Amino acid sequence: AGSTAALLGLGALRYAGHNPLVRPPGGQDEARLVSACIRCEKCYEACPRGIIVPAHIEDGLLGMRSPALKFDADFCDYCADENGGEPLCVKVCPTEALALPAGATAENTLLGLAVIDEAQCLAFRDTGCRYCYDACPYEAMELDENNRPVVIEDKCNGCGACESVCVSLKAGSIVSGAQERAIVVKPIESTE
């Protein structure tokens, strides 16, 4: 009890809450995921694209080390070619913390929603960038009258293909101190 009080006094309370995260397929029921996940890391190992990573303490104590998605170098293709429709992360989960409802497909399983930061996006700086548009496998993006990408929210499933190819951080974004790419997949909870 004394240690807990000391931690809370030192600011640990901010870690006790919950930050919404983009979860792997089948992990969209946050309460079920956090309570059923035993942090076995089998989903991390099974992911052929290596995008499942452990949640950090900054994301909340309850969800720490539970699976989250990170689209730095690749995206979730639902293991389309490997497993006949069921993602490998769901298949290897021993506790069904990652469990898909009947009839779930890559198109109707919402992992998150892509959001464009127009201040940081190179296309909004008249460079003609359209990497995200070209990468989208679900036709969830269109180009506006100025040839800039726009997310079609009702088609976006949050796969991260757009985020994984965004070059804004390394190709001259003019926003100083930028920590995220110009297009980022946000958890559904944080976009409402």
Side-chain angles (χ1 to χ4, degrees), residues 1-109:
S3 296
T4 302
L7 281 172
L8 292 175
L10 293 172
L13 186 59
R14 66 182 167 159
Y15 298 123
H18 163 70
N19 289 332
L21 297 170
V22 178
R23 299 296 193 168
Q28 285 56 59
D29 182 346
E30 186 73 21
R32 188 188 78 234
L33 173 73
V34 170
S35 64
C37 180
I38 58 172
R39 282 57 169 181
C40 67
E41 301 183 8
K42 288 184 178 188
C43 55
Y44 311 164
E45 296 165 4
C47 182
R49 294 184 172 261
I51 61 167
I52 302 177
V53 297
H56 299 287
I57 192 169
E58 297 86 13
D59 301 317
L61 285 174
L62 293 177
M64 189 172 76
R65 301 220 31 89
S66 62
L69 296 180
K70 186 173 183 180
F71 302 118
D72 283 353
D74 220 331
F75 68 100
C76 180
D77 68 350
Y78 216 73
C79 308
D81 300 327
E82 289 88 355
N83 205 29
E86 184 180 30
L88 293 172
C89 56
V90 173
K91 187 172 184 139
V92 301
C93 184
T95 63
E96 295 186 5
L98 298 177
L100 291 167
T105 64
E107 291 80 11
N108 68 18
T109 301

Side-chain angles (χ1 to χ4, degrees), residues 72-182:
D72 283 353
D74 220 331
F75 68 100
C76 180
D77 68 350
Y78 216 73
C79 308
D81 300 327
E82 289 88 355
N83 205 29
E86 184 180 30
L88 293 172
C89 56
V90 173
K91 187 172 184 139
V92 301
C93 184
T95 63
E96 295 186 5
L98 298 177
L100 291 167
T105 64
E107 291 80 11
N108 68 18
T109 301
L110 301 179
L111 306 176
L113 177 65
V115 177
I116 297 174
D117 179 351
E118 294 178 5
Q120 195 171 328
C121 181
L122 296 174
F124 285 82
R125 298 288 172 198
D126 298 324
T127 65
C129 180
R130 53 181 265 177
Y131 283 103
C132 58
Y133 171 80
D134 292 336
C136 182
Y138 299 104
E139 297 180 0
M141 298 192 80
E142 61 188 11
L143 298 175
D144 69 9
E145 65 278 353
N146 296 313
N147 216 28
R148 299 177 299 203
V150 176
V151 176
I152 305 169
E153 291 185 14
D154 60 341
K155 287 187 177 182
C156 179
N157 71 352
C159 72
C162 54
E163 182 178 340
S164 70
V165 299
C166 180
V167 296
S168 64
L169 286 179
K170 59 186 174 190
S173 175
I174 64 167
V175 178
S176 65
Q179 299 294 313
E180 292 183 327
R181 295 176 175 179

